[in-house]
Amino acid sequence: MTDLHIISEQTVALPNTPYQARHFINGVAQDSADGRKSDRISPSHAVLVSQAGLGSDVETEAAIKAARAAFDDGRWSRLSGKARAAVLNKVADLIEANVEKLALIETLESGKPIAQARGECGGAADLWRYAASLARTSHGDSHNTLGSDILAVVLKEPIGVVSIITPWNFPFWILSQKLPFALAAGCTCVVKPSEVTPSTTAMLAEMLVDAGLPAGVCNIVLGYGNPVGSLMSTHADVDMVTFTGSTAVGKQITKSAGDTLKKVALELGGKNPQVIFPNCDLESAADAVTFGIYFNVGQCCNSSSRIIVHEDIADAFLARVVEMSGRVAFGNPLHPDTQVGAIVTSEHAAKIDGYVRAAVAAGAEVCIGGGALSVPGLGGQFYQPTVLRGVTADMAIAREEVFGPVLVVLTFRTLEEAIQLTNDATYGLSAGIWCDDIHTCLEFSRRAAAGTVWTNTWMDGFPEVAFGGVKQSGQGREIGSYGFDEFLEVKSLVMRVGRTRAPWVKKA
């Protein structure tokens, strides 16, 4: 068994008191009407991190009503792009000024390393600034070739009230992939973060006020999917729902939203492959595979949880990944050198372990890991870096989203077989190929059923480049100009110049 690099000491202090996360409705932070709260215990340190309001129909109805009024009276939707951009840029400045505060609470609620949380919270400011640029540059089309007496323009207008439902694995980052783009388009919003990681979303409310966002334009309701998320998905005054989370919940939202024919954008699960050919930079590929499976403890929709390796190099490449796995720093999220932290809940840790045990029972071989990880002095919600070989394509662990630090290894002989294995999944979020032959890379990229394909890299992303999946990984796109367009409706305006319209009714 490879020795593991475990960090138990910490350099960042725990807060003295739990953060109090409150709803934010019509510009006012408030507790639940019935006073109910939920406690979040840190998965890494087993201490009370935060207490958050538990919303009901009362808070959700009030938030939707405020967003509807704010949209209809034009206090935001009719502002110039320049005015909206100014507010979004101020929010970006405030995010950067509060990175340490945001990162600490996100680390403690989610279990992710403090260095990663700093990068995500600080990096989110770039998403807000890019969205601000789109607010100023958005435009429609004109058609002046329809005849000398006709001028037509195609307008882009905000879709209306948007319900934004975000997950626990990247609370602030994914919020920033949605909210600033909806606001840039002129929409008003109701936001529900995960009840597991609510605090950074609640903390954003104060920044929105300080940046000058009008009351009612963005409202935040904390609590569970039922009733809060359910009402946000079905309410007649909501025009669109954007959701990131599990495929099962995404399907339910689509069904519920169908009764009012509201638009739905979904970013769901993935079972993302990296295909490894012999003629590539194998050291870089092994590093990318190691990063792709252990980043965020594998609790990432883009996790490369299966690799498809050419038979000629499978043993050597696998040995390289196993050796690198032992050098990844697992442990205390409050140490800046930690690369992989804790599993979000004990229930999820048990689910991950269940997948591993089932695969071993079906004939898979554990190359490293395969069980809980003990970190001295900390809670028990850590899991070892795990690599399984001898996996067949029909095993659940090769087809279903484990959402943990568990890598499965499949092999191939031909490009055709590699493509077949890549597309033999209900998901289609991301895929990658490592090969020095540009023709092979291009053919794979064009034929892989995935919303994003990386060649000779993994998980490089930019605010300008759209993100989303195909098949059961979702519908619609986030970020980039395509993600911005999700929040816009297209309206055609046809104008006749002069009294040139021919009468339809014949003269008497």
Side-chain angles (χ1 to χ4, degrees):
M1 180 64 69
T2 301
D3 291 334
L4 301 179
H5 185 182
I6 301 173
I7 295 176
S8 57
E9 70 272 19
Q10 69 187 57
T11 60
V12 179
L14 293 165
N16 294 323
T17 57
Y19 177 75
Q20 301 297 313
R22 306 173 74 196
H23 312 293
F24 181 68
I25 301 172
N26 206 22
V28 178
Q30 54 191 262
D31 294 321
S32 299
D34 57 12
R36 292 194 307 143
K37 294 182 178 181
S38 64
D39 294 342
R40 176 56 176 160
I41 305 298
S42 168
S44 55
H45 292 78
V47 297
L48 179 63
V49 179
S50 59
Q51 295 179 303
L54 279 178
S56 66
D57 288 355
V58 173
E59 290 77 26
T60 312
E61 287 276 6
I64 294 171
K65 180 180 179 180
R68 184 78 263 167
F71 183 81
D72 290 346
D73 68 20
R75 72 187 76 166
W76 182 253
S77 58
R78 296 175 201 161
L79 286 183
S80 68
K82 178 181 178 181
R84 291 200 295 267
V87 174
L88 298 184
N89 280 318
K90 287 179 183 176
V91 175
D93 293 340
L94 291 165
I95 289 171
E96 289 181 331
N98 288 277
V99 165
E100 285 302 313
K101 184 166 66 172
L102 290 165
L104 177 58
I105 194 70
E106 184 144 310
T107 291
L108 291 172
E109 285 189 339
S110 70
K112 68 178 58 188
I114 187 76
Q116 180 187 325
R118 286 171 179 150
E120 290 168 11
C121 293
D126 196 32
L127 293 168
W128 285 79
R129 291 197 177 100
Y130 181 70
S133 73
L134 295 174
R136 297 199 65 168
T137 57
S138 178
H139 60 86
D141 300 304
S142 64
H143 299 271
N144 62 344
T145 60
L146 305 177
S148 59
D149 59 345
I150 294 290
L151 176 65
V153 295
V154 178
L155 308 176
K156 291 183 178 180
E157 299 182 339
I159 198 168
V161 176
V162 179
S163 288
I164 297 175
I165 304 174
T166 58
W168 49 260
N169 55 340
F170 296 96
F172 199 76
W173 181 263
I174 290 179
L175 174 64
S176 298
Q177 289 191 158
K178 299 175 184 288
L179 178 58
F181 292 86
L183 295 177
C187 298
T188 59
C189 303
V190 179
V191 178
K192 190 200 91 66
S194 167
E195 68 280 0
V196 176
T197 53
S199 294
T200 51
T201 300
M203 292 165 71
L204 179 67
E206 184 177 342
M207 301 179 212
L208 298 177
V209 172
D210 291 346
L213 189 74
V217 173
C218 179
N219 307 272
I220 299 167
V221 184
L222 311 177
Y224 295 105
N226 185 19
V228 179
S230 178
L231 187 55
M232 288 170 61
S233 304
T234 57
H235 201 288
D237 282 340
V238 171
D239 301 294
M240 176 182 173
V241 181
T242 175
F243 168 80
T244 296
S246 73
T247 297
V249 175
K251 290 179 179 179
Q252 184 57 53
I253 287 175
T254 301
K255 292 177 182 177
S256 301
D259 287 341
T260 50
L261 289 180
K262 59 176 90 288
K263 183 176 182 178
V264 176
L266 303 171
E267 196 276 283
L268 307 175
K271 193 67 180 177
N272 313 295
Q274 293 197 60
V275 176
I276 319 296
F277 279 80
N279 59 334
C280 74
D281 181 347
L282 293 174
E283 188 72 14
S284 185
D287 184 84
V289 165
T290 306
F291 161 71
I293 188 56
Y294 302 132
F295 175 70
N296 211 57
V297 210
Q299 299 170 144
C300 176
C301 58
N302 258 338
S303 172
S304 57
S305 54
R306 59 187 177 124
I307 58 171
I308 303 170
V309 188
H310 195 279
E311 292 175 358
D312 290 350
I313 59 167
D315 290 343
F317 187 80
L318 182 55
R320 199 173 295 197
V321 171
V322 168
E323 188 274 331
M324 285 185 174
S325 298
R327 288 192 275 128
V328 176
F330 279 64
N332 195 326
L334 292 180
H335 193 288
D337 292 339
T338 297
Q339 295 171 284
V340 184
I343 304 298
V344 68
T345 65
S346 57
E347 293 81 6
H348 187 56
K351 178 183 176 183
I352 293 168
D353 194 52
Y355 271 107
V356 173
R357 292 179 180 275
V360 171
E365 174 191 349
V366 176
C367 301
I368 184 174
L373 176 65
S374 176
V375 179
L378 297 184
Q381 287 173 215
F382 294 83
Y383 204 83
Q384 297 177 45
T386 299
V387 178
L388 300 176
R389 69 180 304 168
V391 173
T392 56
D394 60 337
M395 291 183 183
I397 203 166
R399 306 187 67 82
E400 298 175 15
E401 189 176 43
V402 177
F403 228 56
V406 179
L407 177 68
V408 299
V409 182
L410 303 168
T411 60
F412 75 98
R413 169 57 58 182
T414 65
L415 172 61
E416 199 66 35
E417 186 180 3
I419 292 172
Q420 189 275 325
L421 287 169
T422 293
N423 293 340
D424 183 25
T426 57
Y427 297 109
L429 188 58
S430 304
I433 180 172
W434 290 84
C435 182
D436 283 348
D437 178 23
I438 186 64
H439 304 289
T440 300
C441 288
L442 286 173
E443 182 171 358
F444 175 87
S445 299
R446 296 187 71 172
R447 294 176 61 188
T452 299
V453 178
W454 284 288
T455 68
N456 297 309
T457 189
W458 186 259
M459 222 184 293
D460 287 339
F462 307 90
E464 295 87 350
V465 181
F467 173 67
V470 299
K471 297 195 284 188
Q472 294 192 31
S473 286
Q475 57 191 33
R477 291 295 178 265
E478 292 188 341
I479 65 176
S481 61
Y482 293 97
F484 175 68
D485 285 346
E486 294 285 345
F487 299 104
L488 295 168
E489 286 280 19
V490 173
K491 176 189 287 185
S492 296
L493 173 59
V494 180
M495 299 171 282
R496 185 170 288 275
V497 180
R499 298 181 179 181
T500 61
R501 181 182 176 275
W504 183 68
V505 177
K506 293 180 180 180
K507 295 181 179 180

